[in-house]
Structures are given as structure tokens and as C-alpha cells.
Amino acid sequence: MGLEEGMILAIYLLILLLAVVRFFPADRGKVIRRFRTGKAMTIGTRQVQEDNYGMCQTQDGFMAVLADGMGKNYGGKISSQQVVDTMKEMFINYRSVENPAYFFRNAFHKANAEILEKLDDGRGGASAGVVVIKDNYLHYAVVGNIKIAVFRKGDLVPVSAGHTIDMLVENKFVEGTITKEEALKRLEDKRVYNYLGQDRFEEVELFDAPIFLKEKDIVVLMSDGLYNGVEWKIIEEILTEKKKCQQKAYEIIEAVNAGKQKEKDNASIALVEVSIG
């Protein structure tokens, strides 16, 4: 090959390379997310572990669910497992990330129907929190007292409110439908008023708008036994450490176990750290 032909070939290859870079830019893959996860639970001083969690990923997105069961004769354990199984099945078998709000409503109502089919009304039920991550965005839904938060740069920020009596009272006071005196009397009531496993279930707390996730953000799902069993500051301190998500989950549960409360509830946590892939 002569010098002139070599130069022509080099120019041709350069043009080809520039075309590839143009149509397949280096930052095109930055929207795709990798997920590092951690999950752990403790039975506390209870006889039965009624919490349950699950995670799954498809080519379209990632889902995590945490359920806190309640009931008699293993009714809570059965209910929380049914919630997790239903959420995973529907997420895998349907294109859920195309319309997360539609997925959440359908999945919660299906889980409610499945619990009622397996158990008499009142024998079992469950609170549940579900997150769906597609591209850079977090979508979430809650029924009951599961708390969902996002940890970013040292701060753990709650994004869900939950369905407990105190939150209901607070909302009614803001709306002006109850007096300040009535609100103050009931603000300490932490009982769950809305949960899966009851005929009158209909309310789902949905995200107002998807939350944009940044590099190294950690999405956190917690049962009430977790966030009532350990100080928020301690959770933040552990999440700040440079350790794997699974180790962080273990250490948070150990902090719950080391708490001074004589009566300890079931406590569970699920962590999902996002990073550019």
C-alpha cells in the first residue's frame, strides 16, 4: 500500500470513528443504572417474624417492596408474604415501568384481594411500601406505616407520610375539618388506619412527582419497628460509612437489637444504592 493510499484509508477510518462517536456518544449509557442492595431484619421480642421484603429487576427497571404484617395465628406473616409475591409477579410479568402509578394501584388492589381470599377479613393484613426505579427516577407508593426515604450526602430525607392516625389527624387539621384541641388529643395515636387485607381498603399514597436520583443516592424502605427502634441520626451515620449496602443493613439492624426498649417489634430495612453503569 502506497503512502497516498494509506493516508486516504486513515482519513476514512477517522471519519468513521467520528460518526460512531456522534451517534453513540460516551455519555449515552449514563442513564442506565446499576443497583447495589442490602436487606436485613430482626424478629425483636415477638414470637413470629411478620415482616417480608423482595427485590427484582427487569430490562426496564428495578423494584423493591417491604411489607409489615399484622394479625393472629400467622395471619400477618401470610399477608406480608402475599404482598411481596404479588408485587414481584406483577412487576416481572407486566410492563409496569411504563405507567408506575397504574402498576401501584393495580398491584395493591390485587394484593388486597389475594389476602382476603386466603384469610378472613380481620385475621391478617399488612402495611406495604414499594419503589420502582426507571432510568434516573424514583416512583413510590405506600399503604400503612412503611416509611420510604432517600439518603443523599449525609442526610436521610423521608419522602412518604404513611397512613397512621396521627398523620390523618394532621391532614384534617390542615384542611380545617377538626379543631386544634381535637388534633392535639389524637396526634400521639400511631395506629394504622389503612392497610392491605380489609374490604374497605381503597387508599394508596402515591408519589406526587418522580424523584430524580443522583449518583450514590440510597433509597431506604423501613418498617415501623425499624424507624421507631433506632434514632434517625444513627441510621444516617451508618449509611454515611464507606461500606457495602448489605453491611450497612446488618449494622442498622444490630443498632435496633442493641436498643434499650424491653419490648421490640419486628424490624426490617431494605437499601437500594444507585450508580451510573
Side-chain angles (χ1 to χ4, degrees), residues 12-43:
Y12 173 77
L13 290 174
L14 179 60
I15 293 172
L16 181 61
L17 178 61
L18 290 173
V20 169
V21 170
R22 178 184 176 186
F23 289 103
F24 299 95
D27 61 353
R28 185 170 182 263
K30 288 185 179 179
V31 175
I32 300 172
R33 295 280 170 171
R34 289 185 293 125
F35 303 96
R36 299 182 178 92
T37 64
K39 50 189 185 294
M41 61 172 58
T42 178
I43 195 171

Coordinates of all heavy atoms in Angstrom, one line a residue, residues 12-43:
Y12 N -10.4 7.9 6.1 CA -11.7 7.2 6.1 C -12.0 6.7 7.4 O -13.1 6.8 7.9 CB -11.6 6.1 5.0 CG -12.8 5.2 5.0 CD1 -14.0 5.6 4.5 CD2 -12.7 4.0 5.6 CE1 -15.1 4.8 4.5 CE2 -13.9 3.1 5.7 CZ -15.0 3.6 5.1 OH -16.1 2.7 5.1
L13 N -11.0 6.1 8.1 CA -11.2 5.5 9.4 C -11.5 6.6 10.4 O -12.3 6.3 11.3 CB -10.0 4.7 9.8 CG -9.7 3.4 9.1 CD1 -8.4 2.8 9.5 CD2 -10.8 2.4 9.3
L14 N -10.9 7.7 10.3 CA -11.1 8.8 11.2 C -12.6 9.3 11.1 O -13.3 9.6 12.1 CB -10.2 10.0 11.0 CG -10.3 11.2 11.8 CD1 -10.1 10.9 13.3 CD2 -9.3 12.3 11.4
I15 N -13.0 9.4 9.8 CA -14.4 9.9 9.6 C -15.4 8.9 10.2 O -16.4 9.2 10.8 CB -14.7 10.0 8.1 CG1 -13.8 11.2 7.5 CG2 -16.1 10.3 7.8 CD1 -13.8 11.4 6.0
L16 N -15.1 7.6 10.0 CA -15.9 6.5 10.5 C -16.0 6.6 12.0 O -17.1 6.4 12.6 CB -15.4 5.1 10.1 CG -16.2 3.9 10.5 CD1 -17.6 4.0 10.0 CD2 -15.5 2.6 10.1
L17 N -14.8 6.8 12.7 CA -14.8 6.9 14.1 C -15.6 8.1 14.6 O -16.3 8.0 15.6 CB -13.3 7.1 14.6 CG -13.1 7.2 16.1 CD1 -13.6 6.0 16.8 CD2 -11.6 7.4 16.4
L18 N -15.5 9.2 14.0 CA -16.2 10.4 14.4 C -17.7 10.2 14.2 O -18.5 10.6 15.0 CB -15.8 11.6 13.5 CG -14.4 12.2 13.8 CD1 -14.1 13.2 12.7 CD2 -14.3 12.7 15.2
A19 N -18.1 9.4 13.2 CA -19.6 9.1 13.0 C -20.1 8.2 14.2 O -21.2 8.4 14.7 CB -19.8 8.4 11.7
V20 N -19.2 7.2 14.6 CA -19.6 6.4 15.7 C -19.8 7.2 17.0 O -20.7 7.0 17.7 CB -18.6 5.2 15.9 CG1 -18.8 4.5 17.2 CG2 -18.6 4.3 14.7
V21 N -18.8 8.0 17.2 CA -18.9 8.9 18.4 C -20.1 9.8 18.4 O -20.8 10.0 19.4 CB -17.6 9.7 18.6 CG1 -17.8 10.8 19.7 CG2 -16.4 8.8 18.8
R22 N -20.5 10.3 17.2 CA -21.6 11.1 17.1 C -22.9 10.4 17.4 O -23.8 10.9 18.2 CB -21.7 11.7 15.7 CG -22.9 12.6 15.5 CD -22.9 13.1 14.1 NE -24.1 13.9 13.8 CZ -24.5 14.4 12.6 NH1 -23.7 14.1 11.6 NH2 -25.6 15.1 12.5
F23 N -23.1 9.2 16.9 CA -24.4 8.5 17.1 C -24.4 7.7 18.3 O -25.4 7.3 18.8 CB -24.6 7.7 15.8 CG -25.0 8.5 14.6 CD1 -24.1 8.7 13.6 CD2 -26.3 9.1 14.5 CE1 -24.4 9.4 12.5 CE2 -26.6 9.8 13.4 CZ -25.7 10.0 12.4
F24 N -23.2 7.4 18.9 CA -23.2 6.6 20.1 C -22.2 7.3 21.1 O -21.1 6.9 21.4 CB -22.6 5.2 19.9 CG -23.5 4.4 18.9 CD1 -23.2 4.4 17.6 CD2 -24.6 3.7 19.4 CE1 -24.0 3.7 16.7 CE2 -25.4 3.0 18.5 CZ -25.1 3.0 17.2
P25 N -22.7 8.5 21.6 CA -21.8 9.3 22.5 C -21.5 8.6 23.8 O -22.2 7.7 24.2 CB -22.7 10.5 22.8 CG -24.1 10.1 22.5 CD -24.0 9.1 21.4
A26 N -20.4 8.9 24.4 CA -19.9 8.2 25.6 C -20.8 8.3 26.7 O -20.9 7.4 27.6 CB -18.5 8.8 25.9
D27 N -21.6 9.4 26.8 CA -22.5 9.6 28.0 C -23.8 9.0 27.8 O -24.7 9.1 28.6 CB -22.6 11.1 28.4 CG -23.2 11.9 27.2 OD1 -23.4 11.3 26.1 OD2 -23.5 13.1 27.5
R28 N -24.0 8.3 26.7 CA -25.3 7.7 26.4 C -25.7 6.7 27.4 O -26.9 6.5 27.8 CB -25.3 7.1 25.0 CG -26.7 6.5 24.5 CD -26.6 6.2 23.1 NE -27.8 5.7 22.6 CZ -28.2 4.4 22.5 NH1 -27.3 3.5 22.9 NH2 -29.3 4.0 22.0
G29 N -24.7 6.0 27.9 CA -25.0 4.9 28.9 C -25.2 5.4 30.3 O -25.5 4.7 31.2
K30 N -25.1 6.7 30.6 CA -25.1 7.3 31.9 C -26.5 7.2 32.5 O -26.7 7.2 33.7 CB -24.6 8.7 32.0 CG -23.1 8.8 31.8 CD -22.7 10.3 31.9 CE -21.2 10.4 31.8 NZ -20.7 11.8 31.9
V31 N -27.6 7.0 31.7 CA -28.9 6.9 32.2 C -29.1 5.5 32.8 O -29.9 5.4 33.7 CB -29.9 7.2 31.0 CG1 -31.3 6.9 31.5 CG2 -29.8 8.6 30.6
I32 N -28.4 4.5 32.3 CA -28.6 3.2 32.7 C -28.0 3.1 34.2 O -27.0 3.6 34.4 CB -27.9 2.2 31.8 CG1 -28.4 2.2 30.4 CG2 -28.0 0.7 32.4 CD1 -27.7 1.4 29.4
R33 N -28.8 2.4 35.0 CA -28.4 2.4 36.4 C -28.0 1.0 36.9 O -28.6 0.0 36.5 CB -29.5 2.8 37.3 CG -29.9 4.3 37.1 CD -28.9 5.2 37.8 NE -29.1 6.6 37.5 CZ -28.5 7.6 38.1 NH1 -27.7 7.4 39.1 NH2 -28.7 8.8 37.7
R34 N -27.0 0.9 37.7 CA -26.6 -0.3 38.4 C -27.1 -0.2 39.9 O -27.2 0.9 40.4 CB -25.1 -0.6 38.4 CG -24.6 -0.9 37.1 CD -23.1 -1.3 37.1 NE -22.3 -0.1 37.5 CZ -21.5 -0.1 38.5 NH1 -21.3 -1.1 39.3 NH2 -20.7 1.0 38.7
F35 N -27.5 -1.3 40.5 CA -28.1 -1.2 41.8 C -27.3 -2.1 42.8 O -27.1 -3.3 42.5 CB -29.5 -1.7 41.8 CG -30.4 -0.9 40.8 CD1 -30.6 -1.4 39.5 CD2 -30.9 0.3 41.2 CE1 -31.4 -0.7 38.6 CE2 -31.7 1.0 40.3 CZ -31.9 0.5 39.0
R36 N -26.9 -1.5 43.9 CA -26.3 -2.3 45.0 C -27.3 -2.3 46.1 O -27.9 -1.3 46.4 CB -25.0 -1.6 45.4 CG -23.9 -1.5 44.4 CD -22.6 -0.8 44.9 NE -21.6 -0.8 43.9 CZ -21.4 0.3 43.1 NH1 -22.2 1.3 43.2 NH2 -20.4 0.3 42.2
T37 N -27.5 -3.5 46.6 CA -28.7 -3.7 47.5 C -28.2 -4.2 48.9 O -27.1 -4.9 49.0 CB -29.7 -4.6 46.9 OG1 -29.2 -5.9 46.7 CG2 -30.2 -4.0 45.6
G38 N -29.0 -4.0 49.9 CA -28.8 -4.6 51.2 C -30.2 -4.8 51.9 O -31.0 -3.9 51.7
K39 N -30.3 -5.8 52.6 CA -31.6 -6.0 53.3 C -31.3 -6.9 54.6 O -30.5 -7.8 54.6 CB -32.7 -6.7 52.5 CG -32.3 -7.9 51.7 CD -33.3 -8.3 50.7 CE -33.0 -9.6 50.0 NZ -31.9 -9.5 49.1
A40 N -32.1 -6.6 55.6 CA -31.9 -7.3 56.9 C -33.1 -7.1 57.8 O -33.9 -6.1 57.6 CB -30.6 -6.8 57.6
M41 N -33.3 -8.0 58.7 CA -34.5 -7.9 59.6 C -34.1 -8.6 60.9 O -33.2 -9.4 61.0 CB -35.7 -8.6 59.0 CG -35.6 -10.1 58.7 SD -37.1 -10.9 58.2 CE -37.6 -9.9 56.7
T42 N -34.9 -8.2 61.9 CA -34.8 -8.9 63.2 C -36.2 -9.2 63.7 O -37.2 -8.4 63.4 CB -34.1 -8.0 64.3 OG1 -34.1 -8.6 65.5 CG2 -34.7 -6.6 64.4
I43 N -36.4 -10.2 64.5 CA -37.7 -10.6 65.0 C -38.0 -9.8 66.2 O -39.2 -9.8 66.7 CB -37.8 -12.1 65.3 CG1 -39.2 -12.6 65.5 CG2 -36.9 -12.5 66.5 CD1 -39.3 -14.1 65.5

